[in-house]
Amino acid sequence: MNEQASRRTRFEERVRVERMFLSPVNRVFGTVAPLAGMTGDAIESWESRASATGSERNIQQISKLLREASRRAELLADNSRDVFERDKNVGPDGLAEIFRMLELELA
């Protein structure tokens, strides 16, 4: 696979991961505090709006999980880290565990 195709594949995987995390949050909060993206600013904005809804869910914990998922999704797409951080590969198991924890918080 050439470098451009590899980069595109990694970007597509990042987008897939981000959508995977947006869906359950928006299923619960979409009508009152939709999560628009997985950037730090988007998560911070969501946290503020979700906290104002009076939800009984642990908004801070959900936000923490979203930030970690975002960080890992960024690692998936950042080709330059391959050279400097080979030992910090992001595997699907770690993201799956974060997703499972998110679903528990949203239940």
Side-chain angles (χ1 to χ4, degrees), residues 10-82:
R10 293 177 80 175
F11 174 77
E12 290 167 349
E13 179 64 9
R14 177 182 178 180
V15 170
R16 186 194 67 75
V17 167
E18 289 179 352
R19 286 181 182 161
M20 181 176 84
F21 281 85
L22 287 170
S23 293
V25 173
N26 286 333
R27 230 181 343 268
V28 173
F29 290 96
T31 59
V32 293
L35 177 60
M38 292 289 288
T39 65
D41 288 343
I43 295 168
E44 184 177 329
S45 173
W46 172 83
E47 183 177 11
S48 175
R49 290 179 288 113
S51 294
T53 67
S55 174
E56 295 179 16
R57 290 174 177 83
N58 187 341
I59 303 298
Q60 285 184 322
Q61 180 62 20
I62 293 169
S63 181
K64 180 180 171 185
L65 292 168
L66 291 170
R67 282 187 175 90
E68 180 61 19
S70 176
R71 185 187 72 76
R72 290 179 186 215
E74 183 178 333
L75 285 173
L76 283 172
D78 188 351
N79 290 320
S80 66
R81 294 190 187 209
D82 282 347

